[in-house]
Amino acid sequence: MTGSVLLVSEDQAVVRMIGEYLTASGNTVTAAHEGMDMVSYCLSEQCDVVLVESRTTYQDGLELLKAMREAHTAAKLILMVPSGSDEEVETYLSHGAFDELIGREEI
């Protein structure tokens, strides 16, 4: 299955690596940038998935998730978190995150 992915990470190596993989798999990938209204993007571009690092200065991942739910976006949010972040993962999942990737070794 292919779709439209919004990739939210400040780490350009992560953006490049994951973006190349997803694009080669037939997905359309947009890298978020500072100042971008990600919720509006998800609504206007019919984004399927938001792949977001939990710790980014672009927008707090949990705030983004809450805003996406309030706006009733259909996009699924998948969280990228460092290893050992079980409490953080549970918080995101309890607020409606679709799934998580733990640690760089899985990314």
Side-chain angles (χ1 to χ4, degrees), residues 87-104:
E87 186 176 314
E88 185 174 19
V89 168
E90 288 304 317
T91 300
Y92 275 82
L93 292 174
S94 71
H95 282 88
F98 180 73
D99 207 348
E100 82 279 353
L101 295 172
I102 307 289
R104 297 273 181 180

Side-chain angles (χ1 to χ4, degrees), residues 9-105:
S9 174
E10 295 172 349
D11 187 333
Q12 293 306 305
V14 169
V15 170
R16 188 172 39 259
M17 179 180 61
I18 293 175
E20 287 174 2
Y21 176 81
L22 292 172
T23 300
S25 299
N27 297 284
T28 303
V29 178
T30 300
H33 53 83
E34 193 167 358
M36 180 180 195
D37 185 339
M38 294 172 223
V39 175
S40 292
Y41 177 84
C42 289
L43 290 169
S44 66
E45 299 299 320
Q46 299 179 356
C47 185
D48 299 307
V49 174
V50 177
L51 188 56
V52 62
E53 274 192 301
S54 62
R55 298 178 183 126
T56 175
T57 60
Y58 294 162
Q59 183 170 3
D60 177 80
L62 190 55
E63 293 303 315
L64 174 59
L65 175 59
K66 290 176 182 178
M68 287 172 58
R69 294 299 159 245
E70 288 174 9
H72 303 289
T73 65
K76 304 261 191 277
L77 186 135
I78 298 176
L79 177 68
M80 297 183 289
V81 294
S83 297
S85 300
D86 294 339
E87 186 176 314
E88 185 174 19
V89 168
E90 288 304 317
T91 300
Y92 275 82
L93 292 174
S94 71
H95 282 88
F98 180 73
D99 207 348
E100 82 279 353
L101 295 172
I102 307 289
R104 297 273 181 180
E105 60 276 2

